[in-house]
Amino acid sequence: MITSEQVRAARALIRWEQRDLANASAVSLPSIKRLETSPGLLAAQPRTVAAIRAALEAAGVEFIPENGGGAGVRLRDRSGPYDKGKRTNELDATNDD
């Protein structure tokens, strides 16, 4: 399960508005707004929660489970083909601009 706090944090990480999440998940905008206002676990049908989670994960969000430090979110490593930048271990004098 995921919480409304995690959904809001995930949207902030990827700079999505509620409308972006609604479009990506095929969950109505009023439903997204309602779900995000109630603290704690998302009070929705399992398929709705799964659609929201899948949309955020497809956009690069990783959900961190409760592990003593609290549940959270982070951005997944973006080393796929869409990543045009250099990683820190690839930086050297030969690729200075």
Side-chain angles (χ1 to χ4, degrees):
M1 292 298 286
I2 58 175
T3 67
S4 62
E5 294 84 3
Q6 285 177 296
V7 172
R8 287 193 308 275
R11 279 194 312 99
L13 279 173
I14 57 176
R15 297 184 175 149
W16 274 10
E17 300 290 329
Q18 289 176 324
R19 181 175 310 283
D20 299 318
L21 178 55
N23 291 335
S25 65
V27 174
S28 73
L29 181 57
S31 292
I32 297 290
K33 289 181 177 188
R34 179 183 53 80
L35 290 170
E36 285 192 5
T37 59
S38 300
L41 293 176
L42 291 183
Q45 294 291 325
R47 68 178 177 270
T48 301
V49 175
I52 291 170
R53 183 178 187 136
L56 292 167
E57 287 176 338
V61 171
E62 237 179 66
F63 287 89
I64 303 168
E66 178 74 40
N67 60 4
V73 293
R74 66 179 168 216
L75 287 177
R76 182 177 58 241
D77 178 20
R78 294 179 178 251
S79 59
Y82 50 83
D83 185 4
K84 303 271 191 256
K86 295 277 185 197
R87 301 193 132 357
T88 19
N89 63 338
E90 298 172 327
L91 296 175
D92 58 35
T94 63
N95 53 38
D96 284 347
D97 287 335

